[in-house]
Amino acid sequence: MAGTGSEIVIDPIKQFVIQPIISFGKIGGVDIAFTNSALFMFVAVASITGFLVLATGGRTLIPGRSQSIAELWYGFVAGIVRDAMGSEGMKFFPLVFSLFSFVLICNLLGMFPYFFTVTSQIVVTFALAMLVMTVVVVAGVMKHGTHFFGLFVPSGVPVFLVPFLTVIEVISFLSRPLSLSLRLFANMLGGHIALKVFAYFVVILTSSFGAMGFFAAIAGPFAIGVALTALEFLIAFLQALVFALLASIYLNDALHPGH
Amino acid sequence: MTPKDPPQSGPPPRDEDEARLARRLDQLDGALKKAEPEVKPATPVSRDMAGFAQAMRLGSEFVAGVLVGLGLGLGLDTVAGTSPWGLIVLTLAGFLAGVMNMMRVVGALPASKFGKPDDHQKR
């Protein structure tokens, strides 16, 4: 047993490697392939759509279990949107609902062993954040014209400070998509690495120290791993909530810039 | 005494019936309005979570500010050839923006246009 213990390769990053499943060849020197990441995005979208279609298919007056979940789901996101933007913000509801559902289901799918966590890729989270910011800018300019950019000019400060503060406000605005995507990406990445590391500790302890190591592993890293798993479920939900909440707070700027 | 039973006032005084109906409707409306805040569970839940969400934001808001300042500085230097001044000035500005972001998250900077504090007051 001790022999196998030394052969265990500890590589907590391996779970994030993107592997092509079906390759479509190269276009412009870039591999175009259907990857495991894309597969799990499809799984997430398919399960959201499938569940919601099935759950709301009955449309009974007294909701059954799955319809209750669907209604709670809707009501929860609608509450976030109304809180941040008022009822006129409900035109952004489809966007926020899709973002929330996608992030939530991707996070939760990532909690299955051997599943790929889509949201642990910064490319994905940054693309989602840029989608939000693009909508903010486009909707803001469409609604308010150039007045939207008055967002960057602070009011009620001495004149000589205005150019300086404008630069800072612009940086502050540009930092939003980055912070939005970094938070989600870092939380998912860090959580999954921590889980993997503690799981490896269990394996190493039991395989190299026999029965004593087994009990030590149960008392130490295994218990922590169980607790971390619970924490990760909380974080999976919380990060989806934060993403939706901030998306709607930012979208509020498009509706009322500089109120 | 208690009001007359409706069936016994046989020759139907319609006005009285309608008045009673209206009164009952009013009563029900009032009861409904009283019950309504409890019917909407979504808002309190998300408000409860909003505190959690705020805590989550602090670190990343600051880091993002500095990183964007750094990126803009490096970009400006390569485009305008002002190395190293763009990097120095804009990284510092990014630091300031990060601090401002954080202060806004906790509501210490009330007069903000990117008004997160206002958003919380508006509720």
Side-chain angles (χ1 to χ4, degrees):
Chain A
M1 285 306 269
T4 51
S6 59
E7 280 163 31
I8 293 170
V9 184
I10 297 178
D11 189 3
I13 305 294
K14 205 179 144 207
Q15 58 180 320
F16 304 115
V17 174
I18 291 182
Q19 288 143 345
I21 296 174
I22 307 162
S23 192
F24 300 122
K26 288 191 174 192
I27 297 176
V30 182
D31 268 324
I32 305 295
F34 186 79
T35 61
N36 51 353
S37 174
L39 173 69
F40 278 100
M41 284 187 227
F42 269 111
V43 170
V45 172
S47 46
I48 294 166
T49 316
F51 172 75
L52 286 179
V53 166
L54 280 181
T56 55
R59 274 194 237 170
T60 46
L61 192 60
I62 299 161
R65 256 177 247 155
S66 50
Q67 197 184 331
S68 289
I69 295 176
E71 283 176 8
L72 269 176
W73 193 340
Y74 173 94
F76 185 72
V77 181
I80 293 173
V81 172
R82 284 212 190 87
D83 264 10
M85 295 187 267
S87 28
E88 64 171 318
M90 284 306 274
K91 59 183 141 184
F92 291 121
F93 175 80
L95 173 67
V96 178
F97 186 80
S98 310
L99 282 172
F100 175 79
S101 309
F102 183 72
V103 172
L104 177 68
I105 298 302
C106 284
N107 287 351
L108 289 179
L109 277 179
M111 290 307 294
F112 284 97
Y114 297 104
F115 276 29
F116 184 83
T117 319
V118 178
T119 42
S120 66
Q121 305 288 320
I122 194 155
V123 186
V124 175
T125 60
F126 191 69
L128 292 177
M130 281 316 287
L131 171 69
V132 173
M133 296 327 280
T134 313
V135 171
V136 168
V137 173
V138 169
V141 170
M142 268 170 62
K143 190 149 187 278
H144 300 279
T146 49
H147 177 69
F148 173 73
F149 295 105
L151 197 65
F152 298 122
V153 184
S155 52
V157 292
V159 180
F160 59 90
L161 274 179
V162 166
F164 187 61
L165 283 176
T166 305
V167 171
I168 291 179
E169 291 283 9
V170 170
I171 292 177
S172 168
F173 184 81
L174 291 178
S175 77
R176 285 166 169 198
L178 200 67
S179 87
L180 199 57
S181 54
L182 265 182
R183 182 181 318 109
L184 177 59
F185 151 77
N187 270 289
M188 298 321 289
L189 185 83
H192 279 82
I193 289 178
L195 272 181
K196 201 71 147 190
V197 166
F198 278 103
Y200 275 128
F201 282 166
V202 175
V203 176
I204 292 168
L205 271 177
T206 46
S207 60
S208 32
F209 295 106
M212 216 178 71
F214 177 74
F215 288 113
I218 294 287
F222 186 74
I224 295 174
V226 171
L228 270 183
T229 308
L231 181 72
E232 276 308 300
F233 273 108
L234 174 72
I235 288 190
F237 171 74
L238 214 56
Q239 287 305 320
L241 167 70
V242 170
F243 202 93
L245 197 70
L246 286 181
S248 35
I249 286 177
Y250 294 158
L251 285 167
N252 185 41
D253 277 347
L255 288 177
H256 327 96
H259 33 86
Chain B
M1 300 299 273
T2 48
K4 301 163 240 165
D5 282 343
Q8 269 184 354
S9 58
R14 268 215 185 140
D15 292 350
E16 201 182 307
D17 253 14
E18 255 165 38
R20 184 172 292 169
L21 205 65
R23 225 181 308 137
R24 250 181 98 183
L25 262 175
D26 275 354
Q27 221 174 0
L28 281 175
D29 263 1
L32 204 67
K33 247 172 219 157
K34 229 183 278 169
E36 205 137 62
E38 290 159 34
V39 174
K40 276 198 287 182
T43 317
V45 169
S46 66
R47 195 174 297 163
D48 229 26
M49 287 294 196
F52 230 139
Q54 249 187 0
M56 286 278 184
R57 288 170 60 189
L58 277 174
S60 60
E61 291 282 356
F62 178 66
V63 172
V66 177
L67 284 184
V68 167
L70 190 79
L72 281 183
L74 280 176
L76 185 74
D77 279 349
T78 44
V79 171
T82 49
S83 177
W85 295 107
L87 180 71
I88 294 171
V89 172
L90 281 174
T91 305
L92 285 176
F95 180 83
L96 288 178
V99 172
M100 255 167 66
N101 281 346
M102 283 209 300
M103 285 168 75
R104 269 173 196 158
V105 172
V106 298
L109 206 65
S112 77
K113 283 198 164 180
F114 290 144
K116 284 126 214 177
D118 306 30
D119 289 328
H120 287 290
Q121 279 160 19
K122 235 188 276 169
R123 288 173 192 179

